[in-house]
Amino acid sequence: DAKTTQPPSMDCAEGRAANLPCNHSTISGNEYVYWYRQIHSQGPQYIIHGLKNNETNEMASLIITEDRKSSTLILPHATLRDTAVYYCIVSGNYGGSQGNLIFGKGTKLSVKP
Amino acid sequence: DGGITQSPKYLFRKEGQNVTLSCEQNLNHDAMYWYRQDPGQGLRLIYYSQIVNDFQKGDIAEGYSVSREKKESFPLTVTSAQKNPTAFYLCASGHYNEQFFGPGTRLTVL
């Protein structure tokens, strides 16, 4: 069973921020939120992860609500190369390696010029 | 160059034949994974291994087999028992909170 719910598709104008939502209302206390993306016909690429606090790296920001039931991935200045399927995944962190990741269908983000 | 390699990129086989997909990593990761992806779908876990000489079934292990004799290598065999083997196969290795994926092998069974 999928642990996350994402919209199937979104559009974003080039140069604008892309805000991708994810609902994970059944998340448990020791589970992390991970985001990956998959550009067409390639392997997925890790973007960011978080537990409770908001996180930022060179690729994106992750905003997690206080009740941890939802989160938003923010690409601050989307480019055409950000067009991809974005997966939001909830998983435990077992012994330093990730637990099994359950990839749903994700959100297909289309960045338009 | 560090990373994960999968070969070949495209593979064609006749129905009823076993086929082995290669996955090699030089990232010194203990954990390795095999996923299957069908058109328009997410990834589904076939097998995973957290350490050499040990591996576990994922959600769709039937018709597949693996071995983990070396830390760097995690080959996947698609057997004739797999009813619908045509798919995109992805291998990954894991380190802390990241999984690193290879470029994938697209298998077509004729």
Side-chain angles (χ1 to χ4, degrees), chain B residues 26-44:
Chain B
N26 60 3
L27 300 168
N28 201 33
H29 291 162
D30 286 316
M32 297 188 74
Y33 308 82
W34 273 106
Y35 294 89
R36 168 185 172 137
Q37 187 173 35
D38 293 289
Q41 304 296 313
L43 282 66
R44 291 184 291 169

Side-chain angles (χ1 to χ4, degrees), chain B residues 71-108:
Chain B
K71 189 175 187 177
E72 302 80 15
S73 178
F74 191 40
L76 173 74
T77 297
V78 184
T79 75
S80 57
Q82 169 51 232
K83 299 301 180 191
N84 186 18
T86 294
F88 187 44
Y89 291 87
L90 287 155
C91 179
S93 68
H95 178 69
Y96 295 104
N97 289 308
E98 294 186 44
Q99 283 190 17
F100 296 81
F101 285 81
T105 292
R106 198 168 294 278
L107 173 65
T108 301

Side-chain angles (χ1 to χ4, degrees), chain A residues 43-106:
Chain A
Q45 176 191 23
Y46 166 85
I47 301 173
I48 199 167
H49 76 279
L51 183 64
K52 294 181 184 178
N53 300 321
N54 298 337
E55 302 288 344
T56 295
N57 63 20
E58 64 279 2
M59 289 182 68
S61 295
L62 174 60
I63 308 297
I64 303 174
T65 58
E66 192 169 341
D67 63 8
R68 303 212 318 128
K69 292 185 177 182
S70 65
S71 61
T72 301
L73 179 75
I74 301 172
L75 307 178
H77 306 287
T79 71
L80 298 179
R81 287 179 295 181
D82 292 321
T83 292
V85 177
Y86 287 77
Y87 297 100
C88 170
I89 301 164
V90 166
S91 182
N93 182 23
Y94 305 107
S97 293
Q98 284 178 323
N100 296 342
L101 301 181
I102 298 176
F103 288 79
K105 293 187 178 181

